[in-house]
């Protein structure tokens, strides 16, 4: 989103940042096309609804802590922006702490809606609202946030919007109660809501169902909203990775007991004939509610729907984990098909008197690879033909599969196991579901971690040792001489390390740990075999397929033992296998299935050791798991998301990761040693590519890659004096020496100064053909602020005497920065320059040579006059002086995307620019050329 002008709302527009004087008129007057309104830190009072319509690229940006405040009892949209294209609203909070204030924010556009880092601060309760009232005496309360994208191919992105509303439950008010996010019929495009949080609304947290657009909800938390936490329905819409929970015991509302219907996800479309919404990878908990329709509820007006890789817990009696209602039983009816698809869905909890999954008139439905563990029935199908339930565990107190007037194919239905539970989604007291007791035999040190909550307990004869420690969801301690330590927890066990002899009890019973840990490994031999097994997060003896020999030895993550004469040794573990060595003839089973021992495990372990310290980013192309293998620690500041990990390690500390297949990105900032499988080895053995620079005389080099670079001994050790920073290595080589590096991605640039031979993956190549990037250098003359963007790749560089300033900000293929005092900033760039804004004096260099920017920017504009003319030229993406058709006068000025100057007596002023001409004003007789061609009517631009 481009802006041609920036308005400081205090200095330029005259708003009061103390919040004493209203800012409504100033805001409306400043709002214009291609304009960014910047609000310095402060409080801005808005006393009436401000409406701004028909603008292109209008932005509202808070700098620091910025709030819009409203008067008492303010119950309308405080800001309405609509009927244009391009809206940015970022880092501005809406304050509703004034008594009875319920303001809303309405941001609509045809395309390009960007809303980021906004919080609704305060409790949204209208003073006249009546919980559980009939609606006639209740006022209509303004919704908190209304985003709109009107064009069918338009897009909007909403990230980190937070509203902890703490409103009145039961104040649904016939549909006029306050909604968190409303997306209705006016939206035809696609809106993505990322990592948002909405709590305590009486009329749905996210009401995003009755729209012809597409709503994508990615991540986020939605808690204790009445009616539903998330409500979607249109084709292509989904909620993915969200945490949804109802627990009136943990609600901040003043009357949580008046909640009407605490559902998790509601799938419905109203009168629209559309279907196909999905629930993916979510944690849904209905822990405590006076009434709830269920965890995932397909209403009578929804057709096909799906839920995948989702964990649901329902505790109140009569509440279903998944409920699909009769497709003709709602206020509206949609066209067939009406099937539901449930894959890898887990439903757990204490709910009785209802089926965990119930599908009504949903012919063709599929329940596959699911797990059900409740106190009621399992899967119930009513009036549903050609349904399938297969490869599913149903461990329930009632009937496993109930069929009423339905034809159901059942295949591979198990009746025991431990189903996955939502990760830490329950907050109320008494929500712990299990107790683990560790009994010394004779003594043990231990580390224990879970996915949910964890607390020390005195249950089952345990003592409270002050030396034991609970930090978040992890406990460490020791127990000896037959003593016991107990812990209550929710979720699943993610780590269990025992060093020494111990007996384990779950809920007071001595049971096989395999019933409580997700994985088992078994070694069997008819003759004799010795083995060593290492896991990422601990291993304990199990009787899953045969008891382990008491002479076998377990120490933390590793077990060493032997087996023979038809015997079996079995173990249970919570994480991944990181190593298996067998000496002898043996058969190996993982989770009961025979496998090839040579393929057993997740692959390798990468350990990063601070030397002295390093920040890092690591990506694998398959699985990636944090582990404490090889003396590593689990730092809560390190972050693992899917196949990507970021973190820091220092002071000789270590971070370890188990990974499968290959590493696709490894970026190190600082000094680090690398270990694979615990051994210090050449990274070239684990990264797919190498680059080597060799010189008989002397050469300096700079190499930049797409995904990181590390030193290697592939064809010759790199000089320890050479430097690596993130994606770039710089150094020198001479007198027949060689410097080698390993890297996972692609070379994006290679610069050499001197006579050098370059090898890629051991093959000599022409250095001039290596990489595709140029180096652009901006030199302060005397100083300049700049913004640079390219169409392909951009990386910070120290080539050509440049410095790497940490204040310069590179994001993707663009950068903003400043340079002064004759200093230089360099960037390795590939593709064309798409934006170049310079504010101040600067000289440009390409590949070290001062050049006319017209050689690298696609467009030129020239003003020529035989008499005298003054001009002002504005472009979309910056403008710089050029000698393309005559040098620009050094007295002319450039400010960002605008240049002003004068020309006469047959002179010419020329400029180069990357984007479009957006405005040209002339005062006098002049000829204007664009790209060398005369413009007949330049002032019509």
């Amino acid at each position: 989103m481009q802006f041609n002008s920036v308005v400081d709302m205090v200095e330029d527009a005259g708003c009061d940042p103390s919040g004493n004087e209203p800012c409504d008129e100033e805001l409306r007057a400043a709002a214009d096309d291609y304009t960014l309104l910047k609000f310095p830190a402060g409080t801005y009072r808005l006393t009436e609804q401000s409406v701004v319509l028909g603008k292109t690229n209008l932005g509202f940006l808070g700098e620091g802590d910025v709030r819009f405040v409203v008067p008492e009892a303010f119950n309308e949209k405080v800001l309405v922006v609509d009927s244009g294209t391009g809206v940015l609203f970022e880092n501005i909070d809406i304050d509703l702490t004034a008594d009875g204030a319920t303001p809303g924010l309405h941001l609509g556009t045809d395309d390009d809606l960007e809303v980021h880092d906004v919080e609704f601060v305060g409790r949204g309760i209208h003073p006249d609202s009546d919980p559980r009232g009939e609606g006639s005496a209740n006022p209509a309360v303004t919704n908190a946030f209304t985003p709109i994208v009107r064009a069918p191919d338009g897009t909007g992105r909403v990230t980190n919007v937070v509203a902890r509303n703490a409103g009145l439950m039961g104040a649904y008010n016939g549909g006029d109660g306050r909604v968190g996010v409303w997306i209705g019929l006016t939206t035809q495009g696609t809106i993505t809501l990322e990592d948002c949080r909405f709590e305590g609304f009486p009329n749905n947290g996210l009401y995003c169902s009755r729209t012809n657009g597409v709503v994508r909800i990615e991540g986020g938390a939605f808690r204790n909203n009445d009616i539903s936490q998330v409500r979607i329905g249109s084709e292509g819409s989904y909620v993915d990775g969200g945490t949804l929970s109802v627990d009136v015991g943990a609600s901040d509302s003043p009357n949580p007991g008046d909640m009407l219907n605490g559902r998790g996800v509601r799938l419905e479309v109203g009168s629209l004939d559309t279907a196909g919404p999905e629930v993916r990878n979510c944690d849904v908990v209905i822990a405590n509610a006076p009434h709830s329709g269920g965890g995932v509820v397909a209403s009578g007006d929804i057709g096909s729907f799906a839920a995948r890789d989702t964990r649901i817990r329902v505790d109140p009696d009569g509440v279903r984990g998944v409920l699909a209602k009769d497709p003709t039983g709602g206020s509206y009816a949609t066209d067939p098909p009406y099937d539901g698809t449930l894959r890898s869905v887990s439903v757990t909890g204490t709910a009785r008197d209802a089926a965990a999954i119930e599908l009504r008139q949903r012919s063709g439905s599929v329940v596959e690879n699911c797990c059900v563990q409740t106190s009621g029935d399992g899967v119930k199908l009513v009036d549903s033909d050609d349904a399938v339930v297969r490869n599913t565990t149903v461990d329930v107190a009632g009937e496993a599969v109930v069929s009423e007037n339905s034809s159901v194919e059942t295949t591979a239905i198990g009746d025991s196991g431990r189903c996955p539970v939502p990760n830490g989604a329950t907050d109320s007291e008494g929500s712990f579901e299990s107790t683990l007791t560790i009994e010394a035999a004779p003594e043990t040190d231990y580390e224990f971690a879970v996915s949910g909550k964890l607390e020390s307990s005195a249950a089952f004869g345990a003592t409270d040792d002050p030396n034991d420690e609970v930090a978040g969801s992890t406990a460490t301690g020791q127990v000896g001489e037959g003593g016991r330590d107990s812990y209550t927890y929710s979720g699943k066990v993610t780590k269990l390390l025992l060093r020494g002899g111990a007996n384990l009890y779950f809920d007071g019973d001595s049971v096989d740990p395999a019933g409580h840990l997700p994985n088992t490994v078994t070694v069997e031999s008819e003759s004799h075999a010795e083995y060593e097994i290492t896991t990422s997060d601990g291993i304990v003896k199990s009787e899953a397929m045969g008891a382990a020999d008491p002479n076998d030895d377990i120490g933390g993550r590793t077990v060493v033992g032997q087996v023979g004469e038809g015997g079996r040794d079995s173990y249970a573990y919570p994480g991944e296998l990181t190593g298996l060595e067998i000496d002898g003839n043996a058969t190996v089973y993982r989770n009961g299935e025979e496998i090839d021992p040579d393929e057993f495990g997740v692959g390798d372990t990468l350990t990063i050791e601070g030397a002295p310290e390093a920040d890092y980013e690591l990506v694998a192309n398959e699985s990636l798991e944090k582990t404490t293998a090889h003396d590593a620690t689990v730092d809560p500041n390190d972050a693992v998301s899917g196949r990507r990990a970021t973190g820091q390690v220092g002071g000789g500390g270590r971070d370890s990761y188990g990974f499968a297949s290959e590493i696709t990105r490894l970026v190190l900032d600082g000094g680090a040693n690398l270990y694979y499988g615990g051994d210090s080895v050449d990274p070239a053995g684990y990264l797919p590519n190498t680059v080597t620079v060799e010189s008989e005389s002397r050469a300096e080099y700079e190499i930049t890659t797409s995904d990181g670079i590390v030193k290697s001994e592939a064809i010759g050790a790199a000089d320890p004096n050479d430097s690596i920073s993130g994606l770039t290595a710089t150094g020198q080589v001479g007198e027949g020496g060689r410097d080698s590096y390993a890297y996972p991605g692609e070379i994006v640039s290679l610069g050499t100064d001197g006579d050098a031979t370059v090898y890629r993956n051991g093959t000599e190549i022409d250095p001039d053909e290596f990489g595709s990037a140029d180096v652009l250098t901006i030199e302060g003359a005397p100083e300049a602020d700049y913004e640079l963007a390219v169409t392909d790749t951009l990386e910070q560089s120290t080539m050509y005497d440049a410095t790497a300033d940490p204040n310069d900000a590179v994001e993707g293929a663009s950068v903003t920065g400043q340079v002064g005092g004759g200093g230089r900033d360099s960037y390795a760039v590939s593709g064309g320059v798409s934006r170049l804004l310079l504010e101040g004096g600067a000289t440009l260099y390409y590949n070290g040579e001062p050049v006319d920017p017209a050689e690298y920017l696609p467009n030129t504009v020239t003003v020529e006059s035989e008499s005298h003319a003054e001009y002002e030229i504005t472009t979309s993406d910056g403008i710089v002086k050029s000698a393309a058709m005559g040098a620009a006068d050094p007295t002319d000025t450039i400010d960002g995307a605008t240049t002003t100057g004068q020309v006469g007596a047959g002179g010419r002023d020329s400029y180069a620019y990357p984007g479009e001409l957006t405005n040209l004003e002339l005062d006098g007789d002049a000829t204007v050329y664009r790209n060398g061609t005369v413009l007949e009517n330049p002032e019509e631009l």
Side-chain angles (χ1 to χ4, degrees):
M1 198 176 300
Q2 308 298 329
F3 303 104
N4 295 336
S5 62
V6 177
V7 178
D8 186 307
M9 292 303 293
V10 175
E11 293 186 2
D12 300 332
C15 282
D16 176 12
S18 69
N20 292 321
E21 298 297 327
C23 184
D24 309 85
E25 293 184 5
E26 290 82 354
L27 184 152
R28 293 191 293 268
D32 204 352
D33 292 333
Y34 298 99
T35 300
L36 179 64
L37 310 184
K38 283 192 175 181
F39 292 82
T43 300
Y44 298 85
R45 179 165 295 279
L46 301 178
T47 60
E48 59 190 19
Q49 184 181 90
S50 290
V51 179
V52 180
L53 301 177
K55 303 301 180 185
T56 299
N57 288 16
L58 173 61
F60 302 79
L61 177 64
E63 296 182 309
D65 187 2
V66 176
R67 291 191 180 193
F68 287 174
V69 301
V70 298
E72 294 182 0
F74 187 96
N75 182 31
E76 56 185 320
K77 296 174 179 177
V78 66
L79 177 63
V80 176
V81 181
D82 211 331
S83 302
T85 297
V87 175
L88 169 70
F89 194 90
E90 182 170 339
N91 197 39
I92 299 173
D93 294 339
I94 309 298
D95 189 314
L96 49 150
T97 56
D99 188 27
T102 51
L105 182 64
H106 175 124
L107 300 174
T109 178
D110 287 345
D111 191 11
D112 290 337
L113 174 66
E114 297 285 337
V115 183
H116 312 293
D117 303 324
V118 176
E119 183 171 359
F120 290 78
V121 181
R123 170 176 288 182
I125 299 178
H126 193 283
D128 296 331
S129 288
D130 177 20
R132 293 183 177 268
E134 296 300 323
S136 58
N138 273 326
V141 185
T142 304
N143 299 330
F145 181 38
T146 304
I148 297 172
V149 175
R150 296 180 180 275
D153 58 351
T155 61
R157 187 165 60 103
V158 178
T159 64
N160 193 31
V161 175
V162 176
R164 297 177 175 87
N165 193 67
L168 290 177
M169 295 298 98
Y172 172 71
N173 191 19
D176 288 333
R178 185 167 170 85
V179 176
V181 176
W182 165 259
I183 298 177
L185 290 173
T186 51
T187 285
Q188 303 287 320
T190 299
I191 297 180
T192 302
L193 297 101
E194 301 175 0
D195 298 325
C196 295
R197 186 182 188 102
F198 283 80
E199 301 180 6
F201 283 88
N203 184 10
N204 297 274
L206 305 187
Y207 199 146
C208 308
S209 57
R210 301 187 179 187
T211 178
N212 286 310
V214 176
V215 181
R216 300 172 174 172
I217 302 162
E218 299 179 352
F222 313 98
R223 304 179 189 273
N224 291 323
N225 300 288
D226 208 347
I227 310 304
S228 75
Q229 312 312 300
V230 170
R231 187 165 171 164
I232 57 174
S234 57
E235 184 176 3
S237 294
Y238 60 75
V239 51
D240 189 342
T243 297
L244 304 86
S245 64
V246 177
D247 184 352
V248 296
S251 173
D252 292 324
S253 296
N255 62 329
D258 286 325
M259 179 179 285
L260 297 172
N261 196 343
R263 284 173 285 211
V265 182
R266 186 181 185 190
L267 307 175
E268 66 96 37
V269 292
S271 60
L272 303 176
D273 186 10
T274 180
E278 293 193 359
V279 180
R280 311 172 187 162
N281 194 35
C282 288
D283 290 311
V284 182
V285 173
I286 312 297
N288 183 6
H291 175 72
S292 172
V296 174
V297 180
S299 296
D301 51 27
I302 198 74
S304 294
F305 71 96
R308 312 175 193 275
D309 301 309
T310 290
R311 298 150 299 281
I312 305 169
R313 176 174 172 175
V314 286
D315 287 336
D317 290 345
V319 177
R320 299 163 180 84
V322 179
L323 172 62
K325 296 183 178 180
D326 301 342
T328 57
S331 301
Y332 310 98
T334 191
D335 290 336
Y338 304 128
D339 57 294
T341 300
L342 308 182
R343 286 194 170 94
S344 299
V345 173
S346 173
V347 182
T348 60
T350 61
R352 299 176 297 178
D353 304 327
I357 298 171
E358 184 169 335
L359 310 177
R360 303 174 185 167
Q361 293 189 27
R362 301 285 174 168
S363 295
S365 292
V366 175
V367 179
E368 184 174 35
N369 295 325
C370 293
C371 194
V372 179
Q373 197 169 33
T374 66
S375 298
D377 290 330
V379 180
K380 182 176 182 180
L381 293 115
V382 180
D383 299 326
S384 301
D385 289 331
D386 300 321
V388 176
V389 182
R390 61 186 171 217
N391 300 329
T392 291
T393 296
V394 187
D395 183 3
V396 295
E399 191 172 347
V401 178
V402 179
S403 173
E404 292 186 5
N405 194 32
S406 302
S407 60
V408 183
E409 176 188 341
T410 58
T411 306
I413 307 300
D415 60 1
S416 65
R418 190 166 184 83
C419 299
V421 298
N423 294 325
T426 301
D427 296 323
S428 67
E429 294 182 3
S431 63
F432 296 108
E433 62 180 23
S434 299
T435 301
L436 169 70
T437 302
I438 303 170
E439 180 183 69
E443 60 183 346
T444 187
D445 295 333
Y446 61 84
E447 184 176 353
F448 171 54
V450 297
S451 61
K453 297 196 304 178
L454 176 71
E455 287 186 2
S456 179
S457 169
F460 307 112
T463 57
D464 188 5
D465 185 345
N467 294 319
D468 301 334
E469 181 179 355
V470 176
S473 59
T474 299
T476 56
Q478 54 281 317
V479 63
E481 298 180 358
R484 288 183 168 190
D485 285 352
S486 288
Y487 296 91
T488 54
Y489 67 94
S490 64
K492 60 184 179 181
V493 176
T494 59
K495 178 181 290 186
L496 182 57
L497 300 181
L498 301 175
R499 296 179 179 88
N503 299 316
L504 297 181
Y505 300 83
F506 286 87
D507 296 330
D509 296 323
S510 177
V511 296
D512 184 358
H516 298 266
L517 299 179
N519 303 301
T520 60
V521 56
T522 300
V523 183
E524 176 187 68
S525 178
E526 294 296 329
S527 53
H528 179 81
E530 297 181 0
Y531 58 83
E532 179 175 327
I533 305 169
T534 302
T535 68
S536 61
D537 295 288
I539 187 167
V540 295
K541 293 183 180 181
S542 166
E543 298 178 1
M545 295 179 67
D549 185 340
N551 294 319
D552 301 330
D553 179 58
I554 297 179
R557 296 175 178 80
T558 300
V559 59
V560 178
Q562 56 186 3
V563 66
E565 298 180 1
R568 286 177 165 182
D569 284 356
S570 289
Y571 300 89
Y573 60 98
E576 299 290 339
L577 284 164
T578 59
L580 172 64
E581 297 180 9
I582 294 181
D583 184 5
N585 185 20
T587 303
V588 178
Y589 302 83
R590 178 172 54 188
N591 297 331
E593 295 184 4
E594 183 180 346
I595 65 163
D596 181 355
D598 293 335
E599 300 177 0
F600 199 87
V602 298
D604 296 293
T605 301
L606 170 68
T607 301
I608 304 170
E609 180 182 70
E613 60 184 27
D615 294 333
Y616 61 84
E617 180 183 0
L618 171 67
V619 179
N621 69 338
E622 292 185 13
S623 64
L624 181 72
E625 297 286 345
K626 183 75 174 173
T627 172
T628 55
H630 311 300
D631 299 320
T633 57
V634 177
D635 185 347
N637 294 322
D638 301 332
V640 178
S641 177
R643 298 174 290 109
R644 178 176 179 267
T646 57
Q648 55 280 317
V649 63
R654 290 181 167 193
D655 285 352
S656 287
Y657 296 90
F659 66 96
S661 194
E662 67 181 36
I663 292 172
T664 59
R665 185 171 177 85
L666 178 60
V667 181
L668 301 174
D669 282 317
N673 298 318
L674 297 181
Y675 300 82
Y676 287 84
D679 297 322
S680 178
V681 295
D682 183 1
Y686 294 84
L687 299 180
N689 303 302
T690 60
V691 57
T692 300
V693 183
E694 176 187 68
S695 178
E696 295 296 328
S697 53
R698 186 179 185 280
E700 297 180 359
Y701 58 83
E702 178 174 285
I703 307 168
T704 300
T705 69
S706 60
D707 293 286
I709 187 167
V710 294
K711 294 182 180 181
S712 168
E713 298 179 3
I715 310 185
D719 185 342
N721 295 318
D722 302 331
S723 171
I724 295 178
S725 177
L727 307 178
T728 300
T730 56
Q732 56 185 5
V733 66
E735 299 181 359
R738 285 177 165 182
D739 283 356
S740 289
Y741 299 89
Y743 61 98
E746 301 292 336
I747 296 286
V748 296
S749 70
L750 170 65
T752 60
D753 185 4
D755 186 17
T757 304
V758 178
Y759 302 83
R760 177 171 54 189
N761 296 331
T763 302
E764 182 179 346
I765 65 165
D766 182 355
D768 294 335
E769 298 178 1
F770 200 87
S772 59
D774 291 308
V775 177
L776 169 66
T777 302
I778 304 170
E779 181 182 72
E783 60 182 337
D785 293 331
Y786 60 85
E787 182 177 349
L788 168 67
V790 297
T791 58
D792 196 353
T793 63
L794 179 147
E795 298 289 345
Q796 195 171 45
S797 168
T798 56
M799 292 288 284
Y800 307 114
D801 299 319
T803 58
D805 185 348
N807 294 320
D808 301 332
V810 178
E811 183 173 354
S814 64
V815 61
T816 56
Q818 55 281 319
V819 63
R824 290 180 168 191
D825 286 353
S826 286
Y827 297 93
V829 299
S830 61
V833 175
S834 59
R835 186 170 177 83
L836 180 59
L837 296 179
L838 299 174
E839 296 193 10
T843 302
L844 298 182
Y845 299 79
Y846 277 84
N847 299 325
E849 299 295 330
V851 293
D852 183 358
E855 296 181 22
Y856 292 87
L857 299 179
N859 303 302
T860 60
V861 59
T862 299
V863 182
E864 176 186 68
S865 178
E866 295 296 328
S867 53
H868 179 81
E870 297 180 0
Y871 59 83
E872 179 176 290
I873 304 170
T874 301
T875 70
S876 61
D877 293 286
I879 189 167
V880 294
K881 294 182 179 181
S882 166
M885 296 178 66
D889 185 340
T891 61
D892 302 330
T893 62
I894 296 178
D895 184 6
T898 300
T899 180
T900 56
Q902 55 186 0
V903 66
R908 284 177 165 180
D909 285 356
S910 287
Y911 300 88
Y913 60 97
E916 301 291 335
L917 285 172
T918 59
N919 188 57
L920 193 153
E921 297 180 11
L922 292 174
D923 185 5
D925 186 18
T927 302
V928 179
Y929 302 81
R930 178 168 58 186
N931 297 332
T933 301
V934 174
L935 283 174
E936 297 298 334
N937 299 297
E939 292 185 303
E940 294 182 1
L941 286 172

